[in-house]
């Protein structure tokens, strides 16, 4: 398997209805790479500042995440702050300090360029395109995005969508991007923009996979104790692509299984701040929850 993840490494300051956590290790690529690492090795391309702890990089390596593509730039690491309402679904971004991300020019190590499976996790569409430009012959490329980039970098995002196999976004972002009133219409609209499939995340209501031929919907795995929803979407995408890369197959039947694996890795991510809950589980938990989810959705 050769799986590349590019995106952000961050310090997240998060306020949930019950707890506050300042400067926890987060970022779209952190969550995605950790989730994907349950399925096999991962190649990481990102940037941090000189304030990023060596221990956090060592943690990534201990998971089989190759950090050769992690640049340490002069300056401060990207910082993001957000808070959640009592419904756990409504999130307000309090600040986004790009710091070293503002001038990030991703460079893929030579040994990463042949990656077959590529996840362009949330970052500016410009950075995502630059990373993709350096992949020699990817088999399956997914990108993520968010409202900030839809608002300030729409043109770049529209260009990027023409070059990817799949896009993953949440329900609000799909509506914001397309102006459609329903998710089904928004998904079809996005398909017309380029990708051959769209994955729409609906928070605790699950996720939907839409292709021109198929529609597949899945509830979230019912988590009893949500601690912090941050990173659920990235962990969903990381688990989804990690599984696809591990079986090297992207047929519809495999995509449906991958949706379950993504749902399961997201369910673990929300059980702790940062990547704390991932540390407590192994592939055994993933398989157990996969089977539980199958039972939950089967008549
Ligand atoms: P999720 O909850 O899956 O949407 O992802 C949350 C993660 O995305 C947090 O760890 C943030 O550090 C990171 N993040 C927030 N805003 C951005 C942004 N504009 N670009 C890239 N990553 C971001």
């Amino acid at each position: 398997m050769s799986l590349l993840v590019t995106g952000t490494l961050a310090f997240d300051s998060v306020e949930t209805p019950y707890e506050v956590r300042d400067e926890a290790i987060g970022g779209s690529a952190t969550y995605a790479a950790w989730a994907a690492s349950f399925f096999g090795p991962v190649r990481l391309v990102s940037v941090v500042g000189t304030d990023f702890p060596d221990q956090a990089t060592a943690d990534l390596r201990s998971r089989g995440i190759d950090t050769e593509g992690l640049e340490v730039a002069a300056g401060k690491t990207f910082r993001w702050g957000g808070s959640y309402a009592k419904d756990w679904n409504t999130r307000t971004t309090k600040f986004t300090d790009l710091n070293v991300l503002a001038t990030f020019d991703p460079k893929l190590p030579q040994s990463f360029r042949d990656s077959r499976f590529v996840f362009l996790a949330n970052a500016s569409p410009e950075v995502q395109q630059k990373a993709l430009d350096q992949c020699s012959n990817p088999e399956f490329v997914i990108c993520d995005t968010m409202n900030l980039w839809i608002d300030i970098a729409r043109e770049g995002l529209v260009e990027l969508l023409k070059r990817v196999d799949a896009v993953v976004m949440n329900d609000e972002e799909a509506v914001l991007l397309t102006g459609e009133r329903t998710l089904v219409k928004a998904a079809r609209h996005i398909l017309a923009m380029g990708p051959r499939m769209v994955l729409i995340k609906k928070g605790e209501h699950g996720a939907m996979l839409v292709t021109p031929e198929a529609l597949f919907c899945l509830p979230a795995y019912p988590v009893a104790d949500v601690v912090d929803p941050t990173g659920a979407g990235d962990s969903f995408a990381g688990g989804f692509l990690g599984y696809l890369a591990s079986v090297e197959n992207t047929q519809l039947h495999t995509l449906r299984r991958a949706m379950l694996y993504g749902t399961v890795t997201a369910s673990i991510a929300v059980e702790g701040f940062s990547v704390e809950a991932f540390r407590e589980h192994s592939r055994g938990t993933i398989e157990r929850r996969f089977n539980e989810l199958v039972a939950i959705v089967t008549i």
Side-chain angles (χ1 to χ4, degrees):
M1 126 168 184
S2 55
L3 169 59
L4 174 77
V5 172
T6 176
T8 56
L9 262 57
F11 286 112
D12 288 346
S13 294
V14 177
E15 214 178 304
T16 77
Y18 306 97
E19 264 177 280
V20 175
R21 188 68 71 91
D22 275 333
E23 305 236 312
I25 301 290
S28 57
T30 299
Y31 285 105
W34 270 79
S37 69
F38 283 102
F39 302 91
V42 179
R43 299 162 169 180
L44 175 71
V45 171
S46 190
V47 65
V48 291
T50 46
D51 55 354
F52 196 73
D54 291 342
Q55 185 55 48
T57 311
D59 279 354
L60 292 166
R61 288 205 198 99
S62 74
R63 296 284 307 180
I65 299 166
D66 187 337
T67 58
E68 197 192 332
L70 179 60
E71 183 184 327
V72 181
K76 287 168 100 180
T77 300
F78 170 58
R79 279 166 168 77
W80 174 82
S83 64
Y84 293 88
K86 278 220 162 96
D87 65 5
W88 291 112
N89 269 342
T90 314
R91 176 162 82 186
T92 308
T93 290
K94 294 192 143 177
F95 61 87
T96 302
D97 294 337
L98 293 178
N99 299 329
V100 291
L101 209 57
T103 51
F104 181 43
D105 186 10
K107 286 173 208 70
L108 268 59
Q110 201 58 42
S111 58
F112 286 14
R113 294 182 181 218
D114 63 354
S115 298
R116 306 291 289 154
F117 291 80
V118 177
F119 180 38
L120 306 170
N122 191 11
S124 77
E126 192 192 344
V127 165
Q128 290 173 308
Q129 293 232 49
K130 281 183 176 170
L132 183 55
D133 288 343
Q134 297 167 58
C135 295
S136 53
N137 189 20
E139 186 179 326
F140 193 84
V141 181
I142 303 190
C143 74
D144 190 359
T145 193
M146 72 179 299
N147 45 7
L148 175 73
W149 309 119
I150 297 171
D151 286 337
I152 70 169
R154 179 180 283 260
E155 255 177 51
L157 179 60
V158 169
E159 282 309 305
L160 177 69
L161 289 178
K162 294 179 187 156
R163 303 180 58 195
V164 298
D165 297 281
V167 57
V168 50
M169 52 175 78
N170 71 28
D171 39 11
E172 279 175 17
E173 291 155 0
V175 168
L176 179 67
L177 177 66
T178 62
E180 300 286 0
R181 292 187 195 175
T182 66
L183 293 184
V184 173
K185 278 195 171 166
R188 290 191 185 134
H189 189 139
I190 297 167
L191 286 177
M193 296 168 86
R196 55 192 177 92
M197 67 192 75
V198 181
L199 287 87
I200 297 184
K201 303 164 289 178
K202 300 182 289 168
E204 65 171 345
H205 303 297
M208 182 162 104
L209 168 73
V210 187
T211 77
E213 299 83 30
L215 179 64
F216 181 60
C217 296
L218 203 59
Y221 176 93
V223 173
D225 294 304
V226 176
V227 173
D228 172 19
T230 308
D234 308 310
S235 304
F236 171 83
F240 177 85
L241 196 61
Y243 174 69
L244 290 183
S246 72
V247 294
E248 297 187 329
N249 180 327
T250 59
Q251 286 173 350
L252 184 59
H253 154 85
T254 314
L255 294 169
R256 291 163 78 107
R257 287 180 70 86
M259 289 281 287
L260 273 83
Y261 279 110
T263 299
V264 165
T265 45
S267 77
I268 296 175
V270 304
E271 289 177 336
F273 281 99
S274 183
V275 291
E276 285 163 7
F278 280 145
R279 292 179 200 283
E280 288 163 26
H281 295 281
S282 62
R283 181 71 188 259
T285 308
I286 306 270
E287 296 304 331
R288 200 185 66 245
R289 289 194 186 186
F290 179 95
N291 290 329
E292 284 171 12
L293 195 53
V294 170
I296 286 168
V297 298
T298 305
I299 295 172

